[in-house]
Amino acid sequence: MSMGLRSPNMGGVARRTSAMAVFLLGFALLSCVAQAASRGHPFRAGARRSDTTKRKVFDVTAFGAKTEDQMNRGSKKPNVVGKLSTGELPGGGVPGELPGGGIPGLPGGTEEESYDGNNIDDPNGLAFIRTWVAACRGNYKGPTKVVIPKGTFLTGPVVFQGPCNSSTEPIVVEVQGYVKASTDISQYSSPEWFSFELVDGLIVTGDGTFDGQGTWTTSGSKDSDKAAQAPSSLKFNKVNNTLIERITSLNSKFFHTHMFGCNNVTMRNVHLTAPGDSPNTDGVYISASDHIKVLNSVITTGGDCVSIGQGAHDVTVKNITCGPGYGISIGSLGKYPDELSVSEIHVSNCTLRNTTYGARIKTSAGKSAGEVTGIVYEDIIMDQVQNPIIIDQYYGNKKVVKKINDGNKKMVVPGNKKNVGAGLKKKVGAGLKKKVGAGSKKKVGAGKQMELQGGKKKSVSRNDGAGVPSRPVSKWKISDVHFRNIRGTSAGKVAVSLACSSVNPCEGVKFTDINLSYKGTSKKQTALKSKCFNAQITPKGVQNPPLCR
C-alpha cells in the first residue's frame, strides 16, 4: 500500500464515504433553499411560491370595519367595541414614529383608550390598522393573512407598519373588495393613503380595487410645490422581499404606487388607471430602491406610466402596456440636493399607445449632480407617440421654452428677445444691432452654434445646425444609453430629440434598429426628423428617421 496500492475494501469504504458526503451536502443545500423560500422570498427566480391559503385569516370586519351599505343603514359605530392598547399601534404607540405624529381619528391622551364609532373620525381606517397589528405582531404565532373582504369600504389614511414577528413567512394582505379613499384632504397629514413601512416579507394580492377618488384640484396644478400635496394611493417605504400582484388602482390623487428605500420588490399583473388629463398620477414611481421588477401590467394615467427616480438601481420594466400617459421615464433628476445616481435600468417588450412621450430621460438644472448610466430601452412598440425618444436635460426650466413644430424650435433665453422661425431674420438682444439671417455676413457653421447673451458670443458644440441655450445647465452626466429595436409610429415630426447638457455632454448613446414612421395630423410633410445637441451618438442598423450626427 505504501507504493500507491490500495486494498479493495479500502476503496469501497472511500466510495461509500464519498457518497455519504455528497448526500449530506445535497441535503444541506436543499435545507438552505427550503429555509430561504420560507423566510419571505417566495417570488425570487426559481424559488417556491409561498402558499397564501394556509394562513390564519384576520378579516378587517372582525376588527370593526363596515361596508358603505352598513354605514348607510345604521350607525357608523364599528362592528366591534373594545380597547386598543397604544403599544399595539404601528411604532409602538410613540406618536413621533408615525407620519404626522399619530393615526388620524385615534383617541389619545392615555395609555389605553376605548373607542367607538361616535368618537372616531375614520373608524374603518382604525379597524384596518387594528387588523394589521394583530396579524403582524399579535399573540398568534404562525403565517397570517389580512383580508379586506368583498364590499365597498370608505377609509382615510392607513399605516401598515412592521417589523412583523408573527412568522418567518411573508405576511399577506388580500384585497377582495373595493376600497375608497376619503376625499377630505385634511385627513392626510402625510401624503400617503395606504402606507406599508419597515416590512421584510410582504405579499399584496387579490382581485380587489383601491379607488383614490382623485379630483386633481390641488397637487394636480402645475405649481404643485405651492399647493397642498395630495396623497399617493399606495406607498411602500423601506419594504423588502415583496410581491405586489393582481390589484387594481383607480383615480389616484397623486401617484398610484410609490416605492422608496425598497429592495427586491416585484410588481406584476396590476392595473393602474386614471384619466389622461389627471396630472401627476404616475403609475409606478421608484426612488432609492434596488432590484425592482415591474412586469406584465396595464397602466393608463395622466403622468408617467413608470417613473424611475433618484437612487434607483437594477430596475426591470417588462411587458407593460402604457397609454395614455407620459411614457416610461427616468427622472426627473437634479431638482433637489443630495439626489443619488441612477444605474442599470432595463425597459423591454413594452407598448406605448397615444402617450406624450415614449422612452425618456429627463434631468434639470437643479442643486444636485449625479450620473445616469447603464440604461437600455429595447423591443418597444410606439403607437402614435408624440415624442418617441427623448433626452431632456433642460426639464422643468420655465425660461427655456422649447416648441418643436414642423421642424422649427422656439426658445426663450434669459436676457435675450428672440423670434425664431423658418426663413425669418433673428433679432437678438435688447441693445444689440446685429441681424443673423439668410443674408447675414456671419455664417453659423454646421458644427457650432453661436449664442449671444449680453452682447457676447459663445460657441457651443452641437450636432445638427440648431441649438439650445447654454444656461442654466444640468450637472447630471448621462452615458451608456442603448435604444434598440424601437418601432411604430410617431404623432410628432421630431421622433428623436436629444437635448444634452453643454457641461456634461451625453456619451455612449447607441441607436440600433430604430424604425418609426409619421402618423400625425399634418398631411403636408410626413418625413420624421431627429434633433441632437451635445450628444455622442453611435448608430447601427436601420435608422428611421435618419439619425443626426
Side-chain angles (χ1 to χ4, degrees):
M1 289 190 292
S2 63
M3 303 202 39
L5 301 176
R6 185 176 56 186
S7 72
N9 290 337
M10 207 54 172
V13 171
R15 283 192 296 272
R16 287 195 297 272
T17 303
S18 176
M20 179 62 71
V22 170
F23 172 78
L24 291 174
L25 177 61
F27 181 77
L29 290 173
L30 287 173
S31 298
C32 290
V33 170
Q35 184 180 18
S38 68
R39 292 186 61 84
H41 314 287
F43 27 81
R44 283 180 175 166
R48 176 178 59 85
R49 170 69 187 273
S50 180
D51 187 352
T52 62
T53 61
K54 297 179 180 179
R55 296 168 179 269
K56 181 175 176 60
V57 172
F58 291 77
D59 191 310
V60 296
T61 59
F63 287 81
K66 281 191 171 185
T67 66
E68 277 194 336
D69 287 342
Q70 289 174 316
M71 292 282 195
N72 292 333
R73 285 199 304 264
S75 169
K76 293 184 178 180
K77 189 174 181 179
N79 292 330
V80 178
V81 177
K83 290 182 178 289
L84 175 65
S85 168
T86 56
E88 292 181 316
L89 295 174
V94 181
E97 293 188 20
L98 284 174
I103 300 172
L106 176 68
T110 64
E111 186 67 20
E112 191 174 80
E113 290 284 352
S114 63
Y115 70 96
D116 62 58
N118 297 322
N119 296 322
I120 296 176
D121 296 331
D122 181 18
N124 277 346
L126 182 55
F128 282 25
I129 293 170
R130 284 173 53 83
T131 311
W132 167 268
V133 170
C136 171
R137 54 178 178 274
N139 294 327
Y140 178 79
K141 300 304 177 185
T144 60
K145 176 165 64 174
V146 173
V147 173
I148 303 174
K150 292 186 181 299
T152 300
F153 298 86
L154 177 67
T155 179
V158 173
V159 181
F160 288 166
Q161 189 181 78
C164 296
N165 58 19
S166 58
S167 172
T168 57
E169 288 276 334
I171 187 170
V172 175
V173 176
E174 183 174 324
V175 184
Q176 302 171 359
Y178 193 97
V179 188
K180 294 166 62 175
S182 169
T183 57
D184 182 0
I185 296 296
S186 67
Q187 287 191 356
Y188 301 90
S189 56
S190 186
E192 301 91 23
W193 176 28
F194 271 76
S195 180
F196 298 84
E197 302 178 357
L198 304 174
V199 183
D200 186 4
L202 170 68
I203 299 175
V204 181
T205 187
D207 297 319
T209 298
F210 292 94
D211 184 352
Q213 297 204 98
T215 54
W216 312 290
T217 56
T218 52
S219 66
S221 67
K222 292 184 178 179
D223 197 11
S224 58
D225 287 343
K226 296 181 181 179
Q229 184 175 333
S232 298
S233 285
L234 302 176
K235 174 75 175 285
F236 298 88
N237 182 23
K238 299 180 181 178
V239 169
N240 301 327
N241 303 312
T242 294
L243 173 65
I244 307 154
E245 64 174 0
R246 294 167 44 205
I247 61 170
T248 295
S249 173
L250 298 178
N251 301 325
S252 59
K253 292 180 174 68
F254 202 60
F255 300 155
H256 286 272
T257 63
H258 181 186
M259 301 180 197
F260 174 80
C262 298
N263 182 271
N264 188 34
V265 176
T266 296
M267 176 182 289
R268 67 189 184 196
N269 302 318
V270 300
H271 190 175
L272 313 176
T273 183
D277 59 353
S278 58
N280 295 323
T281 53
D282 294 20
V284 184
Y285 181 75
I286 303 164
S287 64
S289 297
D290 297 333
H291 313 306
I292 308 298
K293 292 181 174 132
V294 183
L295 313 172
N296 308 325
S297 298
V298 177
I299 305 174
T300 63
T301 186
D304 295 323
C305 290
V306 179
S307 179
I308 299 165
Q310 64 88 21
H313 171 76
D314 187 18
V315 176
T316 298
V317 180
K318 187 174 182 180
N319 292 332
I320 302 299
T321 299
C322 165
Y326 281 4
I328 299 175
S329 300
I330 297 171
S332 65
L333 302 167
K335 183 176 180 180
Y336 301 103
D338 303 322
E339 291 188 358
L340 301 176
S341 296
V342 175
S343 60
E344 304 305 319
I345 311 300
H346 192 177
V347 181
S348 65
N349 298 98
C350 297
T351 298
L352 284 71
R353 184 170 291 115
N354 298 315
T355 57
T356 304
Y357 304 99
R360 179 167 66 149
I361 303 173
K362 47 182 177 173
T363 74
S364 61
K367 300 178 181 179
S368 67
E371 295 185 14
V372 179
T373 187
I375 311 302
V376 176
Y377 285 94
E378 66 178 344
D379 300 324
I380 311 292
I381 296 175
M382 305 285 184
D383 184 359
Q384 290 187 275
V385 174
Q386 188 68 34
N387 301 278
I389 300 174
I390 181 168
I391 295 178
D392 180 7
Q393 293 207 257
Y394 297 84
Y395 178 78
N397 190 336
K398 296 179 181 180
K399 294 182 180 179
V400 180
V401 180
K402 295 181 291 181
K403 182 178 180 182
I404 301 173
N405 184 15
D406 295 332
N408 296 330
K409 234 174 223 266
K410 179 182 178 182
M411 291 172 289
V412 178
V413 186
N416 294 339
K417 296 177 181 179
K418 239 197 237 187
N419 293 318
V420 183
L424 294 178
K425 296 181 179 180
K426 295 188 275 183
K427 186 180 288 185
V428 185
L432 188 64
K433 296 180 179 179
K434 182 175 180 82
K435 293 182 179 179
V436 182
S440 172
K441 294 181 181 180
K442 181 70 178 178
K443 294 183 178 180
V444 180
K448 296 288 182 180
Q449 171 205 351
M450 304 307 296
E451 284 194 352
L452 301 172
Q453 293 197 8
K456 295 181 180 180
K457 302 175 183 178
K458 184 169 183 178
S459 177
V460 180
S461 297
R462 61 176 182 80
N463 299 87
D464 74 335
V468 296
S470 63
R471 291 183 178 84
V473 179
S474 174
K475 302 173 185 176
W476 282 67
K477 178 72 174 181
I478 297 176
S479 64
D480 189 21
V481 179
H482 301 261
F483 298 100
R484 303 175 186 149
N485 190 27
I486 297 178
R487 60 200 186 276
T489 58
S490 172
K493 292 189 176 178
V494 179
V496 177
S497 175
L498 310 180
C500 296
S501 169
S502 59
V503 172
N504 284 317
C506 300
E507 294 182 349
V509 182
K510 298 181 180 180
F511 287 80
T512 303
D513 293 328
I514 309 300
N515 194 359
L516 299 167
S517 60
Y518 178 71
K519 192 176 181 181
T521 57
S522 176
K523 297 181 180 179
K524 294 182 180 180
Q525 186 179 355
T526 59
L528 290 178
K529 297 182 180 181
S530 59
K531 286 186 171 290
C532 313
F533 317 105
N534 307 315
Q536 180 192 80
I537 306 166
T538 302
K540 181 180 179 181
V542 175
Q543 298 296 327
N544 288 319
L547 195 58
C548 43
R549 302 295 180 91

